[in-house]
Structures are given as structure tokens and as C-alpha cells.
Amino acid sequence: MRRLRTQVAIIGAGPAGLVLANLLTRAGVDCRVVERCSRAHVEGRARAGLLEHRTVRALRQGGLAGRMLAEGTRHGWCDFRCLGRSVRVDYGALSGGHTHWVYPQQFLVRDLIAALAHGGFTPLFSRTARAVADITTPRPRVMCDALEITCDYVVGCDGSRGVSRASLPATHRVFPRRYPYDWLTVLAEVDEAAPCVVYAVGAGGFAGMMPRTRHLSRFYLQCAPGDTEAHWPARRIHEQLRARLTPLPKVGGFPDVRVLRMRATVTEPLRHGRLLLAGDAAHVLTPSGAKGMNLAVADAVDAAEALIGRLRGGEGHALATYSERRLAEIWRVQEFSDRLLRLLHLPPDEDPGFALRLRLAAIQRLAGPGPHAAAFAHQYVGSGAEGGAHGRAD
Ligand SMILES: Cc1cc2nc3c(=O)[nH]c(=O)nc-3n(C[C@H](O)[C@H](O)[C@H](O)COP(=O)(O)OP(=O)(O)OC[C@H]3O[C@@H](n4cnc5c(N)ncnc54)[C@H](O)[C@@H]3O)c2cc1C
């Protein structure tokens, strides 16, 4: 059995764990990341692609944004299509100049691992954490096969099916929501980069297009709850994209097709003793507002500040209030994501003619002008100015 001692043990090398590890090590805090999968696997896992304004700001401040700023692209508007109309929401202008950056999650993960490796803190890959013990003592432990890490604090960044959340006592509650539909998610080869996010609302079901790289876009197609990839041969995907999302770029092959269960969860509270939860381990969001990865990074930034303060001898107030602070924000973001989903899907029992006209009216309000549109723009782009404050981007 190999034994290690560190200040902070981090379980999971996704965006949350890697941002946290980078911020801690840059502040002189010793930490170890254990990751169940291989390095090649996590660096190749295509998921999110839209980084919010405040995510980019945090990465910049941490000195972690170099390659993203060189290779990513900025996006400040999205299109909603409904009843044959295309309505542009220029959230960049409406929020005073804040924008998204398009940079695939796997590229960011690769950069964050490289930065850690450069400082001598390469995560321990292919190491599954089996249990977290002694979290209410000053020396919690993370147990992996043939490895035990003793530390001052453990941060569970191990996603929605990890071991950290399962280590919480039954007094911690998980609040789940299951939506009455699923999304087929398709990574597709395209002849030109998507110029912006497109949301199409229609009687045949929602469809969306998200930019990723010059030759890849991610598409979403609403499908029946419980549907499987087996029901979606390439011919049907092409057909449905054309029916729901015209005009379309020229779409080629589909390197990745899967059904995403449309569900959301929040765990309360996010701390027990010396174990903190961050990212998808703490909350799952649907991809509707492109919030999951961004909220994971926001948790990591908050946890890093709180832990650095405590480990430098502070009185630990920020750490004691971590859960309260994060939950207030997590529920704000869940509410936004839920609201956007309601806009994008028609209730099955309503007359589509009436429901679609209501949707179009709501979409046109988002295009502005006025405080309603500004508030949506700030929340959508993650400016950090909650509630529609009219700050300028930095
Ligand atoms: C198709 C798709 C599209 C998405 N689009 C967007 C988007 O546009 N914008 C957005 O913001 N979000 C999006 N998301 C969500 C986003 O990808 C997640 O919210 C994000 O990955 C969460 O980061 P995380 O670090 O918390 O968790 P993860 O990225 O899930 O990382 C957790 C890590 O922990 C590891 N792990 C698990 N258990 C253990 C264990 N026992 N021991 C050791 N390691 C363990 C896992 O292998 C994994 O590497 C999307 C998700 C999907 C699936």
C-alpha cells in the first residue's frame, strides 16, 4: 500500500478538479488529484464548449487562459427560430459587452492538465477513489486501490456518479428533477463553423445547434423520454435536423451520438466535516443554458479561495459558508436553465398554434430593449452581474 500525505486531496480530473488543483498549487497549497480514467480518455472527452464571461475571467486571473484566448472564438449573440422567424438575441450588446468564448471542454481539460504537470502536480490517472473516510476528523483519508491519501481536506469533484456524494450521511438531501423528454446529442462534422448558438422551437420538437470547432458542431434534438441511440440511425438524424433546423450548414458524419437524460439535481448541503463537493458532484444541470461546466469552474474558484484562506491560517469563515454561498448561486442557475427549457419545449397537452405564438412573443422580449432582455443577457452570458446590472465587460 502506497501512502501519501497532502493538504488537499481532490477526487476527479474534470474541469472542477483541475481548476481547483491549479489555483491551489499556484497559491503554494500542496494537493493531489486522483482520476479514475486515463489521461488520454479525459483529454479526449468531448462535452461542453461555451465558456461564460466570468469563467474566462477566472481562468485569466489564474494564468490558465493562454491557449484558450489564442485558439478560442468569441460569441455574443444567439438565434431563436420559431414559426418561420429568426430572432437574434444580441446578448453581448444587451449585457454591456460580455461574451462567451467557444473552446471545447476537452481542450480546456488538456490545458489544465499540462499546467499542473508543468508545476510537478500531474494528476494520478487510472486511480479510482473507492472511499472517503474520517471526514469529521482533522485527518480525512481517500482510499484508492493500493493507495491511501491522508490530507487536511477532501474536495469531491468526481461528477454525478462519484464516490464523494455517496460518502455524505443521510442527513444530506438530493433534490432531483426529471423532465418529460430527453435530448439526442450529436457531434457532427460540418462544412463551416456554426456562427452562433441556434435554438429552434417547433411543433415537431426542439432542435439546437452549438458551435464547437471550425469543422464540428453539437446538435440537440428533443426526443421521447427513455429513447435510445438505437432509434436514431444517421438517416433519421439528417431528416429531423432538416425538418426542425433549416437553414443548416452542410452536415457530414456523426462521430458521437447519444441520448442525454434530461434531469437536474442539487445536493444540500455541500459540505460535511472536511469534505466539500464541487461541480457535477454537487449539482447536475441540463445542457440547455450551457451552464454545467461553468458552474463547476465557479465552485472550484470559490472552494480554492476558501481553502487557501483557511490553510494560510485564516479563521475559516469562507470555508464554513461555502455551501450556503454556492447553493444560493446553484439555485439561481438552475432556475435560469429551467426557465430556458420551458421556453424551448411545448407542453404536450397544449394546442401548438397558441403555444408557439406565446413562445415567439417571449423570445421577442428577450431580444430587447429593456431590463427584461438585459437581465436574461447577463444570466445567459454569466457576466457575474446578476439581475441585469449594466456593468461594462472588462
Ligand atoms: C453532451 C454534453 C454537453 C454539455 N454541454 C455543456 C455546455 O455547453 N456548457 C457547459 O457549461 N456544460 C456542458 N455540459 C456539462 C459539463 O460537461 C459538465 O457539467 C462538466 O463536465 C462538469 O465538470 P466536473 O469537473 O464537475 O465533472 P466531470 O467533468 O464529470 O469530471 C469528473 C471526473 O471525476 C472522475 N471520477 C468519477 N468517479 C471517480 C472516482 N471514484 N475516483 C476518481 N475519479 C473519479 C471522472 O472520471 C471524471 O473525469 C455538457 C455535458 C454533456 C454530457
Side-chain angles (χ1 to χ4, degrees), residues 172-257:
H172 290 244
R173 290 188 62 189
V174 179
F175 294 93
R177 163 158 287 185
R178 177 70 168 100
Y179 289 92
Y181 41 76
D182 284 331
W183 279 9
L184 186 80
T185 165
V186 180
L187 204 58
E189 292 157 1
V190 284
D191 65 336
E192 54 179 317
C196 66
V197 173
V198 178
Y199 299 106
V201 190
F206 162 75
M209 176 170 72
M210 315 281 146
R212 286 296 183 259
T213 64
R214 189 186 277 190
H215 296 297
L216 280 178
S217 286
R218 188 175 283 287
F219 291 90
Y220 294 116
L221 288 167
Q222 178 187 345
C223 58
D227 207 349
T228 63
E229 297 83 6
H231 296 132
W232 289 88
R235 184 182 36 78
R236 185 176 177 209
I237 298 173
H238 278 292
E239 212 173 81
Q240 284 299 310
L241 286 175
R242 273 196 304 273
R244 301 189 201 181
L245 207 53
T246 308
L248 265 180
K250 196 156 174 255
V251 177
F254 303 127
D256 187 35
V257 177

Side-chain angles (χ1 to χ4, degrees), residues 12 15-16 35-36 45 47-48 105 129 157-158 279-280 290 292-294:
E35 165 58 50
R36 182 183 57 183
R45 200 165 45 191
R47 286 176 164 181
Q105 177 168 333
C157 301
D158 46 352
D280 279 15
M293 178 173 68
N294 291 292

Side-chain angles (χ1 to χ4, degrees), residues 372-394:
H372 177 75
F376 175 85
H378 278 279
Q379 286 178 306
Y380 187 68
V381 77
S383 68
E386 186 66 30
H390 289 264
R392 289 265 342 146
D394 44 34

Side-chain angles (χ1 to χ4, degrees), residues 58-69:
L59 294 172
R60 269 180 148 143
Q61 283 167 356
L64 299 166
R67 198 155 171 189
M68 189 267 302
L69 294 174

